[in-house]
């Protein structure tokens, strides 16, 4: 699997290179700013890019804006935002336009290398990987969206775990309930959000992201 890394902190950047190389990934480029990231993506067309948010020159949102551009200009490249910060405004745009091949993880909440590698692999394969804290911010921002307000607290928990990319079995284990109960909750979520019941990953992601469209006025 081919990866491009964009991280302005040299030690973090080199650490990611070593971590991924040791696990069989091919790191095509490791760069320190958004413009170098754009050039690296155009030159190598990797399977996935790992992108920090705050990079030179202003150290504000260069990485997220570059991620949005990459998803538009290189739709086959997965994008995994890896940051210390939750930027709701641009995260909404990143997630809402196309609900496949995208992730958003928080650096200080990734405690297990295997979890990070699994998330990266899932994003590269067209899936999603969202940190629960990111999901929480987006759900709070989009609570007025039609359908989401009607979800029960348990259904919101299930929706949040769906956003992390968990299967029904994974959700059942996390909530200590049966897979059958999870299936009923998922069906209810689909119905309340106006989505046909389906087991496909795309429908699951659409259910997760339906409420995100309600905060797109922040753009």
């Amino acid at each position: 699997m081919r990866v491009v890394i964009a991280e302005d902190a040299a030690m973090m950047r080199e650490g990611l290179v070593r971590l991924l190389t040791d696990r069989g990934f091919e790191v095509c480029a490791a760069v320190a700013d958004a413009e170098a990231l754009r050039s690296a993506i155009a030159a190598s067309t990797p399977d996935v890019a790992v992108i920090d948010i705050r990079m030179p020159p202003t150290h504000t949102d260069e990485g997220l804006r570059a991620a949005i551009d990459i998803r538009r200009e290189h739709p086959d490249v997965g994008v995994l935002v890896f940051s210390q910060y939750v930027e709701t405004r641009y995260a909404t745009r990143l997630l809402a336009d196309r609900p496949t091949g995208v992730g958003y993880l928080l650096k200080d909440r990734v405690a297990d290398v295997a979890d990070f590698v699994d998330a990266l692999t899932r994003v590269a394969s067209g899936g999603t990987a969202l940190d629960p804290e990111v999901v929480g911010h987006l759900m709070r921002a989009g609570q007025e969206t039609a359908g989401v307000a009607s979800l029960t607290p348990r259904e919101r928990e299930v929706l949040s775990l769906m956003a992390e990319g968990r299967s029904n079995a994974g959700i059942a284990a996390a909530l200590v309930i049966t897979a059958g109960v999870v299936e009923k909750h998922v069906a209810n979520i689909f119905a309340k959000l106006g989505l046909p019941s389906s087991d496909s990953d795309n429908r699951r992601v659409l259910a997760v992201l339906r409420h995100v469209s309600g905060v797109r006025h922040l753009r």
Side-chain angles (χ1 to χ4, degrees), residues 1-23 25-42 44-53 55-56 63 66 70 77-83 107 116-117 120:
M1 188 176 298
R2 293 160 52 82
V3 184
V4 165
I5 297 169
E7 166 63 61
D8 69 312
M11 291 186 66
M12 173 66 77
R13 184 170 65 250
E14 293 306 314
L16 285 171
V17 171
R18 176 66 64 86
L19 182 154
L20 294 177
T21 300
D22 287 350
R23 285 159 180 77
F25 292 83
E26 178 185 348
V27 178
C28 305
V31 301
D33 62 75
E35 287 310 309
L37 167 63
R38 290 183 173 90
S39 297
I41 295 293
S44 60
T45 315
D47 298 298
V48 63
V50 180
I51 305 173
D52 191 15
I53 290 177
M55 293 189 290
I70 290 165
V77 176
V79 168
L80 176 61
V81 173
F82 192 44
S83 177
K107 291 177 180 177
F116 177 78
V117 171
L120 184 63

Side-chain angles (χ1 to χ4, degrees), residues 4 47 69 112 200 207 219:
V4 165
D47 298 298
D69 292 343
D112 192 312
S200 74
R219 293 174 62 171

Side-chain angles (χ1 to χ4, degrees), residues 136 138-146 148-150 156 211 215:
L138 293 174
M139 290 186 72
R140 286 190 292 273
Q143 281 184 359
E144 299 306 316
T145 304
V148 175
S150 66
R156 290 182 185 229
H211 72 279
V215 295

Side-chain angles (χ1 to χ4, degrees), residues 194-216:
L195 294 167
S197 181
S198 169
D199 290 330
S200 74
D201 289 338
N202 190 52
R203 286 298 183 192
R204 292 172 72 87
V205 175
L206 285 173
V208 169
L209 299 180
R210 175 59 63 88
H211 72 279
V212 173
S213 63
V215 295
R216 294 191 67 173

